[in-house]
Amino acid sequence: MYKIGVQFKMQGPSVAVVGRKNSINTEDHFGNLFVDNSNEIAVHKAKTMLAVNGLRLVNPFVIHGEEGTGKTHLAMAIVNEIQKKTAKRIKLVNEESFNQMMDAYTYVHFSELSVGSQLDNIEFLFIDDAHQVLQTKEQVGFMKKLLDYLIKKEIQVLLTYTGPIEKLKELPGLTVHHVTSMKYAPMDYPKAIVRMRIVNRKQLQSNHILPIQVAEYISYHTFGNIRELEGAITTLLAIQKFYGRKVTLQDAMKLMNKVVVDKNQHKHLHADFIMKTVARYFHLSIGDLLKVTRKRKIVQARQLAMYFTKTFTALTYAHIGKLYGGNSHATVLHACKTVKNLHENNIVFRSYVTEIKELLAVV
């Protein structure tokens, strides 16, 4: 059984990627990573992994903390540093690609993998948002199988994990090696002075400057989550550029109020509400959505419900599949891709999406 070699808690501050990335972001590096007492231990531990040759094996390497504290930025900084110093082949895995890999290798003995296979051809594996792929017994089992194989082959594994590390420790079959130098502290988002530095850097990157009172307001009065802070800056700068005028303090206050309202709405946007809303829109019952049928109306309604559940909740593909009649994660993944494709190419279907979003009050 393997042991998680190093794991630590991120408390911010750093500038997280706005939105989720499916590829390596070369713009995230140690040079633009803000460090203070809320993340200095994590950054120090990360740098110890980068030896003279670009990588010292500490396996697996787990970065954990709440959403918006800069886990992905630090992970990308590690990856970019390794790419700069070595020629290592690095693979980034998210929830979608992990599930696809699980499907492909479920019935394969890793010891029998041929030279040149997908796993044999990498030297560094980065699993972003590992909490998303540890939701089912099958996923946990595959993760253990995958890590056992990679660590035995001395392939570095880097994980980011959202949530308390205790949850990861409690997963059946996984054990955590405690590092005596590791310090654990309550989650603390960036202090206002650090948020102000983030605001200033964002302004310099855009070549547009916010009025000082606006910059100070959004730094000192709101947005503990870095993603929300960066999103607010981007929005205000866009307003300023589009209307050709300086944004005002009132603009910032309106934006702050909208963010608070949106967060409260989405917080209460549960899967069952989405299911009922979609069913009502198509004049169907909940039972209709869950039953096995190939009727086009029901299939499309179910696909839309799955898509909106994935979009507006934190549920994984696997969890959503269970909600909708015990379907697999692959079925939910296919539904989401189908909805996106039809939304782009079918005017009638696009109207479905728009009108249901209005009913969900997320437009």
Side-chain angles (χ1 to χ4, degrees):
M1 180 169 299
Y2 73 89
K3 295 182 177 181
I4 294 181
V6 171
Q7 44 85 18
F8 51 86
K9 190 171 187 176
M10 284 289 290
Q11 295 179 286
S14 67
V15 182
V17 180
V18 179
R20 287 295 172 203
K21 299 287 184 179
N22 295 324
S23 59
I24 295 171
N25 185 350
T26 57
E27 296 181 359
D28 286 344
H29 50 81
F30 285 106
N32 60 11
L33 181 67
F34 288 128
V35 180
D36 73 354
N37 58 8
S38 61
N39 69 348
E40 61 185 356
I41 293 175
V43 175
H44 173 73
K45 292 292 183 181
K47 289 184 175 180
T48 62
M49 193 174 67
L50 303 172
V52 176
N53 66 343
L55 176 66
R56 182 167 68 199
L57 198 64
V58 182
N59 222 0
F61 200 71
V62 183
I63 305 171
H64 72 97
E66 296 303 317
E67 183 178 357
T69 54
K71 301 183 300 299
T72 300
H73 186 135
L74 177 57
M76 290 292 183
I78 294 171
V79 169
N80 285 318
E81 190 73 8
I82 291 170
Q83 287 193 320
K84 183 172 67 175
K85 294 183 177 180
T86 72
K88 289 185 179 294
R89 296 183 298 274
I90 298 174
K91 181 176 179 60
L92 170 61
V93 176
N94 55 21
E95 180 187 358
E96 180 177 334
S97 52
F98 180 90
N99 287 328
Q100 291 173 344
M101 189 185 298
M102 183 172 70
D103 288 342
Y105 290 103
T106 295
Y107 302 106
V108 175
H109 292 291
F110 278 47
S111 59
E112 299 174 358
L113 292 179
S114 60
V115 176
S117 68
Q118 184 181 19
L119 289 177
D120 186 68
N121 196 39
I122 63 172
E123 297 173 289
F124 188 107
L125 185 71
F126 170 28
I127 303 178
D128 197 18
D129 289 336
H131 59 284
Q132 295 278 25
V133 297
L134 293 171
Q135 301 291 323
T136 68
K137 181 179 178 181
E138 292 75 16
Q139 287 176 325
V140 174
F142 178 73
M143 177 69 84
K144 181 183 183 303
K145 183 179 177 182
L146 176 64
L147 291 178
D148 283 342
Y149 171 79
L150 295 175
I151 292 170
K152 183 178 179 180
K153 299 279 288 185
E154 295 191 343
I155 297 172
Q156 175 67 51
V157 181
L158 172 65
L159 308 174
T160 60
Y161 184 86
T162 297
I165 196 65
E166 287 71 25
K167 281 192 173 182
L168 182 61
K169 295 177 185 178
E170 293 169 359
L171 291 173
L174 304 185
T175 62
V176 178
H177 174 64
H178 295 279
V179 180
T180 56
S181 61
M182 192 60 57
K183 295 181 180 180
Y184 299 98
M187 180 56 59
D188 184 20
Y189 285 112
K191 301 298 186 291
I193 187 64
V194 178
R195 296 202 297 271
M196 189 67 194
R197 291 168 63 191
I198 296 172
V199 171
N200 289 337
R201 184 176 67 192
K202 190 75 173 177
Q203 294 181 86
L204 291 175
Q205 290 174 340
S206 69
N207 293 320
H208 289 274
I209 303 300
L210 295 171
I212 184 63
Q213 67 269 28
V214 173
E216 289 181 347
Y217 180 80
I218 63 175
S219 298
Y220 285 82
H221 290 82
T222 186
F223 307 113
N225 185 311
I226 298 171
R227 290 197 185 100
E228 293 175 1
L229 174 61
E230 289 204 314
I233 302 167
T234 299
T235 301
L236 289 171
L237 289 172
I239 292 173
Q240 190 164 272
K241 183 178 180 180
F242 182 80
Y243 289 105
R245 65 170 177 79
K246 291 289 184 180
V247 294
T248 65
L249 187 58
Q250 286 69 31
D251 292 325
M253 295 175 69
K254 287 180 180 178
L255 177 63
M256 182 189 72
N257 290 334
K258 183 178 186 305
V259 169
V260 171
V261 170
D262 287 349
K263 286 179 68 177
N264 288 336
Q265 286 178 337
H266 289 189
K267 187 185 299 183
H268 295 94
L269 200 57
H270 298 302
D272 58 347
F273 173 70
I274 294 173
M275 189 182 295
K276 291 175 182 176
T277 301
V278 174
R280 186 171 65 250
Y281 177 82
F282 285 99
H283 304 288
L284 299 171
S285 67
I286 298 297
D288 290 330
L289 286 183
L290 302 181
K291 71 182 180 182
V292 179
T293 179
R294 293 190 177 183
K295 289 183 178 180
R296 183 180 180 184
K297 179 180 178 180
I298 295 177
V299 169
Q300 287 193 339
R302 182 164 53 240
Q303 289 175 333
L304 279 162
M306 289 179 172
Y307 167 78
F308 283 119
T309 303
K310 182 59 183 172
T311 302
F312 296 119
T313 74
L315 299 180
T316 64
Y317 289 110
H319 195 156
I320 295 169
K322 287 184 177 180
L323 289 178
Y324 286 88
N327 283 293
S328 67
H329 66 271
T331 300
V332 182
L333 179 60
H334 173 71
C336 293
K337 288 182 176 180
T338 299
V339 169
K340 291 176 182 177
N341 180 58
L342 289 174
H343 181 267
E344 292 177 0
N345 301 294
N346 187 301
I347 296 176
V348 175
F349 195 88
R350 192 179 308 147
S351 69
Y352 295 163
V353 174
T354 301
E355 291 169 3
I356 292 173
K357 286 178 71 174
E358 290 175 354
L359 292 174
L360 294 172
V362 292
V363 291

